[in-house]
Amino acid sequence: MSSSKEFNWDNFSTKGFGDGYSKEQRAQMEAMYAGTLNEITEKEVIKGVVVGVNDKDVIINIGFKSDGLVPLSEFRDVAGIKPGDEVEVFIEEQENALGQLILSRKKAKIVRAWQDIESALENDSVIEGLVKRRTKGGLIVDIYGVEAFLPGSQIDVKPIRDFDIYVGKKMEVKVVKINHTNDNVVVSHKVLIEKDLEKQKAEILNNLEKGQVLEGVIKNMTNFGVFIDLGGVDGLLHITDISWGRINHPEELLQLDQKVQVVVLDFDDDKRRISLGMKQLTSHPWDSLAASLEVGSRVQGKIVNVADYGAFLELAPGVEGLIHVSEMSWSQHLRNPADFVKVGDEIEAVVLTLDKDDRKMSLGIKQLTEDPWTKGDMSTKYAVGSKHKGVVRNLTNFGLFLELEEGIDGLVHVSDLSWTKKIKHPSEFVKVGDELNVAVLELDVENRRLALGHKQLEENPWDTFETVFPVGSVHKCTVNSKNDKGAVLELPYGLEGFATVKNLEKEDGTQVEVGESLDFKVTEFSKDDKRIVLSHTATFKEEAKAAKKAAVAGKKKEDAVEMPAQAEKSTFGDIDALAELKEKMEGKK
């Protein structure tokens, strides 16, 4: 190989070679030789021609003083490299320690690739790449031998859920960003699609009108509906417009990437919001109801919703009827509809009202059984005086409602709970859910009224109390409570009595206090009003008065016995006394 430095012919021993040339001739030949060589610069890409191939290297002539060697391994992507083939190489060194020209096809490819990538970015040109593998957030694409990043959001205009389907496939992309610091390249396939969609989108929007039927692809799904790609234009298919029947989520009938036919229902002035419908492509199921369906008909269906006020029974997709909670049971006590039905139940019902024009229907299930108030044995079963057991269903200020059987409720007034206790509210006596024995006091089948009593199961003890607590009788009582009007007293047999403030005065002038047990005298007894009025003061004042009265009466009797003798004595004595008095008075004179 020849040196790249200037050759010194004077120092070269020719040993007879070229002895016939003069200096001028040698200079002329040297100039001619130099004209056949290229001026080359290290670290640049240049074209060369393959002049030889061996087991390890490819010999390439780039028009320099010497040929260069490139490892054969760098031509693995070229099938059958042979002399005469033109290739691009990168000049690493013009001369190494052995005086050889060092070339690299691998580096030439990298340099050329970056030049092509920069050109593609500058000229906004489309290039083809090979998807090598999936990575976090996107794909790795090989373009010109350089690995570029394709973000998931730049693959397509619609969300991509499976990146693996693109691995190993060729894809057209555009370079959108180059980071020279990190040698990173970002590409996009989405921009190519968007350009194609712009024309399609403009065409769709220009021709858009209500009632128009279009085909689209489901690109996104939510609990309130699905977004459909109409070809660059998105529209919303609300969940209520998917089916005439009731559904809880679009996924019950639809799936992502599914092609569907939809109709344009509405859009705003700038056509940015497009409302779509799918159920509108079929006739309303109410229009195909059987003509035989009428009030009183029995129907079969499935419970599709349960609310606080009732449940909806679906007879067919899009045809529902409301079963109000009051139509679920003959009981007058309203309960939660969930006590009777649940979503998914297949049940039978009776049509109560039907309006095909307004597409409304009310149903009932209690009508499937006989009304207990209309049964023939009602008057005898619940005759006045008959005894029954029921469940407390509701409490009010004036009493409680007792369910004797499904659909038969009766009222127990608070005054009919106990003969002896004064109950202000039924919660003091029972609670909801308790069982209670009662007797029928009154029955009105026509108005569906039943009056019941609990205390009537026992005899009225006030008939006996009348003889036990007569007016004037004295009993040991305990003061339970006091207020500004008086005190509530606890009497024998669990009875309560009342004493006014003035009747609570004790003999020493103090007042009876809560918790004290003293004698009280009955001053008033009312069997009808179940009232006993008593007085402690009367127990000692009336005794003193009676004693005084008795003493006065005894004195009068004694005076009446002695009066005749005294009268007689006074009659005869008066004369002597007067005479004596007269004499004394005259003697003094």
Side-chain angles (χ1 to χ4, degrees):
M1 297 288 181
S2 300
S3 174
S4 59
K5 299 180 181 179
E6 184 178 352
F7 193 83
N8 190 344
W9 289 95
D10 294 332
N11 296 330
F12 184 71
S13 177
T14 61
K15 295 183 179 181
F17 179 77
D19 288 342
Y21 293 100
S22 65
K23 287 186 177 181
E24 291 78 8
Q25 289 176 324
R26 286 201 303 271
Q28 185 179 4
M29 290 181 64
E30 188 175 324
M32 291 175 60
Y33 175 75
T36 64
L37 300 176
N38 291 327
E39 289 291 333
I40 65 171
T41 305
E42 291 184 358
K43 313 303 180 184
E44 74 173 0
V45 177
I46 192 170
K47 286 187 178 181
V49 178
V50 176
V51 295
V53 179
N54 58 35
D55 294 340
K56 294 182 179 180
D57 302 304
V58 177
I59 305 169
I60 299 176
N61 181 8
I62 61 171
F64 191 52
K65 297 176 182 180
S66 61
D67 294 333
L69 297 179
V70 178
L72 182 61
S73 61
E74 293 188 17
F75 289 90
R76 290 176 181 172
D77 59 325
V78 180
I81 188 72
K82 61 185 183 301
D85 289 346
E86 189 177 70
V87 296
E88 285 189 330
V89 291
F90 179 79
I91 301 173
E92 293 199 68
E93 292 182 76
Q94 292 184 12
E95 179 180 306
N96 65 0
L98 300 176
Q100 293 180 331
L101 174 66
I102 305 302
L103 306 175
S104 172
R105 181 172 179 267
K106 180 178 179 181
K107 291 185 178 181
K109 288 173 63 179
I110 294 175
V111 172
R112 182 61 67 191
W114 278 101
Q115 291 174 348
D116 291 341
I117 289 171
E118 290 175 350
S119 175
L121 176 63
E122 182 178 350
N123 299 319
D124 194 31
S125 56
V126 179
I127 54 181
E128 187 177 73
L130 176 67
V131 180
K132 296 182 66 176
R133 65 183 182 276
R134 175 180 178 175
T135 188
K136 183 179 181 180
L139 300 170
I140 298 298
V141 182
D142 185 329
I143 52 172
Y144 304 127
V146 175
E147 290 189 346
F149 177 58
L150 174 59
S153 61
Q154 294 298 313
I155 298 176
D156 206 334
V157 292
K158 60 183 179 180
I160 301 299
R161 283 163 286 279
D162 184 9
F163 291 174
D164 292 331
I165 61 174
Y166 297 97
V167 177
K169 295 181 181 179
K170 292 183 178 180
M171 180 183 292
E172 289 186 333
V173 294
K174 276 190 175 184
V175 178
V176 295
K177 183 179 180 181
I178 298 176
N179 188 335
H180 293 282
T181 304
N182 299 321
D183 289 340
N184 289 337
V185 181
V186 180
V187 296
S188 172
H189 177 66
K190 178 181 178 180
V191 294
L192 301 177
I193 302 175
E194 287 177 335
K195 285 191 175 181
D196 294 337
L197 289 178
E198 283 300 321
K199 295 180 180 179
Q200 188 176 349
K201 180 179 180 179
E203 184 178 351
I204 292 173
L205 292 177
N206 290 335
N207 298 324
L208 194 66
E209 59 182 21
K210 294 180 182 179
Q212 183 180 10
V213 178
L214 301 171
E215 184 178 73
V217 178
I218 297 175
K219 63 182 294 186
N220 193 19
M221 191 174 294
T222 68
N223 58 355
F224 60 84
V226 296
F227 290 93
I228 297 180
D229 182 3
L230 303 174
V233 179
D234 288 350
L236 173 62
L237 173 61
H238 196 269
I239 186 171
T240 57
D241 291 312
I242 295 176
S243 169
W244 291 113
R246 187 189 297 262
I247 59 174
N248 296 315
H249 197 281
E251 64 187 6
E252 295 177 19
L253 298 177
L254 303 172
Q255 57 187 4
L256 291 171
D257 300 325
Q258 179 182 349
K259 286 186 177 181
V260 291
Q261 293 280 334
V262 290
V263 60
V264 177
L265 301 180
D266 199 6
F267 49 82
D268 56 12
D269 293 337
D270 55 6
K271 298 180 181 179
R272 291 184 179 180
R273 295 182 180 179
I274 304 173
S275 298
L276 306 173
M278 195 163 70
K279 71 180 184 182
Q280 290 80 2
L281 295 174
T282 59
S283 61
H284 200 290
W286 270 88
D287 299 333
S288 58
L289 284 178
S292 58
L293 186 67
E294 57 185 14
V295 174
S297 299
R298 291 196 174 195
V299 292
Q300 290 276 353
K302 180 175 70 174
I303 299 294
V304 291
N305 188 32
V306 178
D308 293 338
Y309 53 86
F312 289 91
L313 186 70
E314 184 183 63
L315 310 185
V319 180
E320 296 178 6
L322 171 64
I323 308 174
H324 194 269
V325 64
S326 62
E327 302 299 339
M328 293 183 176
S329 169
W330 288 110
S331 174
Q332 297 178 8
H333 171 70
L334 295 182
R335 286 178 280 181
N336 193 314
D339 294 339
F340 300 95
V341 294
K342 64 180 183 297
V343 174
D345 284 353
E346 299 274 353
I347 64 169
E348 187 179 24
V350 176
V351 179
L352 303 181
T353 64
L354 179 63
D355 189 339
K356 292 185 178 180
D357 293 332
D358 289 340
R359 295 169 177 169
K360 291 182 179 179
M361 183 189 312
S362 63
L363 308 170
I365 55 178
K366 73 180 184 182
Q367 289 77 9
L368 298 171
T369 59
E370 185 181 358
D371 183 354
W373 280 94
T374 61
K375 291 181 179 180
D377 64 344
M378 184 67 186
S379 298
T380 56
K381 185 176 182 180
Y382 295 103
V384 174
S386 59
K387 297 178 181 180
H388 306 274
K389 179 186 288 187
V391 178
V392 178
R393 291 300 185 189
N394 192 24
L395 301 179
T396 68
N397 290 331
F398 54 85
L400 62 90
F401 287 95
L402 196 72
E403 186 178 51
L404 302 181
E405 63 174 279
E406 186 75 20
I408 303 296
D409 287 1
L411 172 64
V412 182
H413 195 272
V414 67
S415 63
D416 290 315
L417 289 174
S418 174
W419 287 112
T420 57
K421 294 181 180 179
K422 288 187 177 181
I423 301 172
K424 296 179 180 179
H425 193 277
S427 60
E428 301 172 13
F429 193 83
V430 292
K431 61 180 182 294
V432 174
D434 285 352
E435 288 189 340
L436 190 68
N437 291 311
V438 292
V440 177
L441 305 181
E442 182 184 345
L443 175 64
D444 185 348
V445 175
E446 185 177 350
N447 294 310
R448 297 172 179 259
R449 291 178 182 174
L450 190 61
L452 307 171
H454 174 68
K455 71 181 184 180
Q456 286 78 6
L457 296 174
E458 301 175 352
E459 293 184 3
N460 187 352
W462 284 87
D463 293 335
T464 303
F465 295 155
E466 191 173 18
T467 61
V468 177
F469 299 98
V471 174
S473 59
V474 178
H475 305 273
K476 183 74 71 174
C477 302
T478 301
V479 180
N480 283 341
S481 62
K482 283 180 67 177
N483 55 35
D484 55 352
K485 293 182 180 180
V488 177
L489 309 176
E490 180 182 341
L491 281 68
Y493 308 106
L495 294 178
E496 287 185 351
F498 183 76
T500 60
V501 174
K502 67 178 183 179
N503 287 303
L504 294 175
E505 184 180 348
K506 294 194 285 187
E507 193 169 1
D508 59 3
T510 61
Q511 285 277 316
V512 177
E513 298 299 331
V514 175
E516 287 191 84
S517 295
L518 300 171
D519 286 339
F520 281 79
K521 180 177 287 188
V522 178
T523 59
E524 183 184 343
F525 181 91
S526 176
K527 180 176 71 172
D528 295 334
D529 296 333
K530 302 178 182 60
R531 185 175 71 251
I532 304 176
V533 181
L534 305 99
S535 171
H536 171 69
T537 307
T539 59
F540 60 85
K541 280 192 175 183
E542 290 190 8
E543 287 180 3
K545 184 178 179 181
K548 184 177 180 180
K549 185 177 180 180
V552 172
K555 185 72 168 82
K556 287 183 178 180
K557 185 176 181 182
E558 181 181 346
D559 290 345
V561 174
E562 295 178 353
M563 184 181 290
Q566 292 176 351
E568 184 179 354
K569 183 178 181 180
S570 299
T571 301
F572 292 103
D574 286 345
I575 299 173
D576 294 335
L578 288 172
E580 184 177 357
L581 179 61
K582 185 178 179 183
E583 289 177 359
K584 287 180 179 181
M585 291 178 68
E586 287 178 351
K588 289 179 180 181
K589 290 181 179 180

